[in-house]
Amino acid sequence: MADSGGAAAFGAGIGVGPYQELTFDAQGDVDPATRAAVARIEATDLLVFAHGWNSDRSTSARLFDRFFAPFPGLVGAGVRLGYVGVVWPSIRFPDEPIPDFDPHGALPDAGAGTALDDATRAALGVFWPGRDAELDQVAALLAEQPEPLAALDGFGALVRRLVDADPAGAAVSPEVPAVFARDAVEVCRALAEALAEAGGAPAVALGDGARALWGGAKELLRQATYYEMKKRAGVVGEHGLGPVLTDLAGRRPALRVHLVGHSFGARVVSFSLRAVPDGARHVKSLTLLQGAFSHYAFSERLPHDRRRGGALGGLQRRVDGPVVACHSAHDSALRVFYPLASRMAGDSAGLLGFDERWGAVGHDGVQAVPGAPRLSLEAALRGGLPEAGCVSVDAGSVVRRGGAPSGAHSDICHEELARIVVGAGRMGR
């Protein structure tokens, strides 16, 4: 269970109020002290924001502070907002710049090296507790970049052991994506090519030796953390956040809840709908900012397999208002790496090339949901949002800044996006 001792100090850094954090561990268990603090918030409307995968605690605090800042000036006189920051076990690779958060020049140029900095190595140790032996070997290989291709095979084996949670190095379980079981040299080459496409590394030519592929090896390690975050985000949403908010709504039926999530935090808040009982009306809006999950999640019939639906098929009906998916083509993490990882997990036809089956909702919005409109950000702000159902909003006009390899994935602190949340929740003036 996460420690709640710093909750008050953490909250003190947020410039709006009343504010509380709501903290979950990797199994979705809530910290009782933060749950009680949230229950004491006096508000008509509760704004609940879940950070994404690329966040440590201090970065999450700054994100919440920056994102919440415009809201007091945007809501109507009859709205008393309460603010909740959902904190869940995540990891940040500090070599990925976040717009306006990291001082200019404080981070190495993308692709400049593959060695893990001290902060990243420490974060990985917290993320995978008890796996220091494997992590030390991974760090040594990334720092040394040995030339023999066999070294990449050894690196791949270490990553497989991390994602399989089997220190003995037994066969990878069937639930682990094939990207971690494929030939390591092939996978590292594909990821190195993807880094080049995203502008984070030099181009890779066929026949290049191992040294040209170690950027792809570091990306494989990053993909391993993404894989773990994907699983964890769903668990925290369905078994943690959803039940907590449903219980709160039962105690305070007039409270209106507005869910917002960034990246894998969008998965957290979306999967919380699985715990919302049919007929419940406390969730009044759901806004997804660069959501890192399938654009087919809310579809009840997949275009490539009409017998199945998405993981959240039809659950938009548990929101008493719209489900708004903000997306941007400037998001390299979702434009390049999300479909690549998904494709490598289950498509033997090849490793590269975009396939619409593998798209993320934060890249091109909600797909295969009949009647779901698609709007520009300007049109959504000018003409408003639908009263219910899914809607996609192209936010590329503001979500456009950021360095390689993630691009604009974390460029979400804009008043225009706050106005979208206010509009979705019918909280405006």
Side-chain angles (χ1 to χ4, degrees):
M1 178 65 62
D3 175 32
S4 62
F10 181 67
I14 307 299
V16 297
Y19 168 84
Q20 295 292 339
E21 71 174 24
L22 187 58
T23 304
F24 297 92
D25 67 14
Q27 289 72 47
D29 293 325
V30 65
D31 181 303
T34 63
R35 179 176 188 164
V38 168
R40 291 193 295 269
I41 293 177
E42 292 296 332
T44 60
D45 294 72
L46 203 61
L47 194 60
V48 180
F49 182 30
H51 65 72
W53 54 262
N54 198 2
S55 294
D56 56 23
R57 191 177 181 121
S58 63
T59 306
S60 298
R62 287 185 291 163
L63 175 64
F64 295 149
D65 183 47
R66 287 281 308 283
F67 186 77
F68 286 147
F71 282 89
L74 299 176
V75 299
V79 175
R80 287 184 291 118
L81 269 184
Y83 303 86
V84 175
V86 177
V87 179
W88 57 289
S90 187
I91 184 172
R92 181 182 177 204
F93 270 70
D95 62 348
E96 295 183 16
I98 298 177
D100 299 328
F101 277 34
D102 298 298
H104 180 69
L107 299 174
D109 292 336
T114 62
L116 297 179
D117 58 80
D118 291 341
T120 301
R121 172 61 186 86
L124 290 170
V126 174
F127 186 68
W128 277 306
R131 311 305 291 276
D132 285 338
E134 291 94 334
L135 289 171
D136 285 344
Q137 293 177 68
V138 162
L141 286 168
L142 287 174
E144 297 166 8
Q145 301 183 35
E147 182 61 38
L149 290 175
L152 288 168
D153 289 327
F155 182 88
L158 288 167
V159 173
R160 283 197 296 273
R161 290 167 65 178
L162 290 171
V163 299
D164 195 35
D166 181 358
V172 177
S173 65
E175 291 78 19
V176 174
V179 60
F180 302 114
R182 288 177 180 266
D183 177 78
V185 174
E186 177 189 18
V187 169
C188 290
R189 182 176 298 279
L191 290 171
E193 291 173 355
L195 279 170
E197 180 182 344
V204 179
L206 190 65
D208 281 350
R211 287 196 180 277
L213 305 185
W214 280 103
K218 185 176 183 180
E219 186 58 37
L220 180 61
L221 178 64
R222 204 187 313 263
Q223 291 292 330
T225 67
Y226 295 176
Y227 162 67
E228 186 63 35
M229 284 299 94
K230 178 180 178 180
K231 294 189 300 177
R232 191 173 291 181
V235 169
V236 170
E238 182 174 1
H239 300 292
L241 180 61
V244 166
L245 293 178
T246 296
D247 178 72
L248 179 61
R251 298 169 185 270
R252 297 172 58 183
L255 186 66
R256 296 160 43 89
V257 176
H258 308 277
L259 299 175
V260 185
H262 168 236
S263 186
F264 276 133
R267 184 178 175 91
V268 171
V269 294
S270 296
F271 272 69
S272 76
L273 297 179
R274 286 184 167 182
V276 175
D278 289 334
R281 314 310 295 168
H282 60 279
V283 178
K284 297 299 182 181
S285 66
L286 172 63
T287 305
L288 312 175
L289 306 174
Q290 302 311 115
F293 62 97
S294 173
H295 56 194
Y296 292 140
F298 291 100
S299 174
E300 295 183 84
R301 293 287 184 273
L302 298 178
H304 52 278
D305 186 352
R306 304 297 294 177
R307 299 167 298 177
R308 298 191 299 121
L312 303 171
L315 291 191
Q316 63 269 26
R317 288 189 284 273
R318 296 186 181 179
V319 179
D320 189 25
V323 173
V324 185
C326 295
H327 58 95
S328 171
H330 303 293
D331 184 335
S332 301
L334 300 183
R335 176 176 57 85
V336 178
F337 293 103
Y338 181 91
L340 175 63
S342 300
R343 188 179 180 91
M344 286 193 290
D347 187 350
S348 61
L351 296 181
L352 290 176
F354 181 76
D355 186 314
E356 64 179 12
R357 283 177 291 174
W358 311 124
V361 70
H363 172 253
D364 59 1
V366 173
Q367 302 290 327
V369 174
R374 307 184 66 82
L375 304 173
S376 68
L377 178 62
E378 294 72 22
L381 293 175
R382 182 175 60 251
L385 296 162
E387 293 186 359
C390 294
V391 55
S392 300
V393 174
D394 185 347
S397 59
V398 297
V399 180
R400 57 186 304 112
R401 297 179 304 140
S406 296
H409 186 64
S410 295
D411 185 22
I412 61 166
C413 293
H414 297 281
E415 181 177 321
E416 292 89 342
L417 298 183
R419 290 169 60 196
I420 288 292
V421 175
V422 169
R426 303 295 190 264
M427 295 182 287
R429 298 172 179 237

